[in-house]
Amino acid sequence: MILFEKSGILTIGSRLRWLADVVTRDAAEIYKLYGFDIKPKWFPVLYMLFDGTDCSVTGIAKAIGQTHPSVSKIVKELKSAGLIRYEKSGEDRRSAIIILTNEGIALKDRLYSVCDDVVRVVRRIEERSTDKLWQALDNWEDALSTKSFFKRVAEEKGCHNNNGIEVVDYCGEYLMTFKRLNIMWINSHWSLEPHDLEVLNDPDTSILSKGGHILVALVNGKPMGVVALCRMEHSEYDFELAKLAVDPEARGIGLGEKICRAALERARQLGARKLFLESNTLLKPAIGLYRKLGFTELKEYHPAYERGDIQMELTL
C-alpha cells in the first residue's frame, strides 16, 4: 500500500487496524467454509470457555483484554445462539458463571480442527520471513504493558524540551536575572513586600551566607529560571524552597519542574530530610507542580508574606 510505503512506521496503528480488518473479514468467510454460523468476534470468548479457566464475564474480560460491557454483549449473543447458559456460582450465589451447552461442547471439537488448519497456514506464511509476527506482537505488548505508548512519546518530547537546558549554581552575574524574574511574577499579582526586597537586593547575604543555595536554569546559555533553597534554622525543616520564577518566554518546556527537581536533588545531597514552602493558591500551575513533586499542604500555618495563603512540606 502506497501510504504504508511512504509513511513507514509512523502509521503502525493504521497498518495494524488494516491487517486486523483483513484477517477478520477472511475469518468470517473461513467459518462459512467449514459450515459454522458464528462471528469472528466470538472466538476469544469461546476459546476461554473451551479452556474453562475462569468462566465469569469479569474473568474472561480480563483474560482477553476487552471491556466488561463488550464481553457481556458477546455472551448474550452466544446465549441467543444456544451455545452457552448461565449458572449461579457455588461460592457467591449473586454472581453467575458461564457454562457451555451441549451445542457449545459439540462446537468445541469441530472448531479445534479449523484452528489446526489456520495454524498450519500461519506457519507457512511465517516461513517466508525471518520476522515472526506473533513474537513481535508479544514483544510489543510486553513493552506497552510496562510503559504506555503515550508515556514513551511524552518522555521523548521531554528529551527534546530539555535540549539546551542546563541548571547551574548562582553567581553574581545572575543577580539581575534573579531580581527581574521574581519582581515580574510578584508584581503581576501583588506588590513587593519588605522581605522580598531584602532577599532580592542582596541574595548573597540573605540566602547564600546563611547556608542556602540558588540555582539558575539556562536555556541555550541564557538564564531563564531561578529557584532558591533557603536554610531554615531552629526548625523541623532544613530548607525552604523559595523564589521560584521562570521567564514567560521559557514557559511550556518544563523548565520550572526541571529546576525544582534539581533543587530537591541538591537538598538531598546536602543531607536534608524535610523541605518547606509558602505560596498562594492563585498560582495554580505552581501549586500543581509542587503537588507533583510530592509536597503536601500543612493543616495549620502562619504565612510570612501577606500574599501567602498556603504552606506545604516535603519529606525527602
Side-chain angles (χ1 to χ4, degrees), residues 203-222:
D204 290 273
T205 300
S206 59
I207 298 176
L208 302 181
S209 68
K210 296 178 179 179
H213 296 261
I214 300 173
L215 299 180
V216 180
L218 307 179
V219 180
N220 297 320
K222 183 179 179 181

Side-chain angles (χ1 to χ4, degrees), residues 10-24:
L10 291 176
T11 50
I12 185 171
S14 298
R15 190 162 193 174
L16 288 172
R17 284 192 296 273
W18 174 82
L19 181 60
D21 289 342
V22 169
V23 173
T24 300

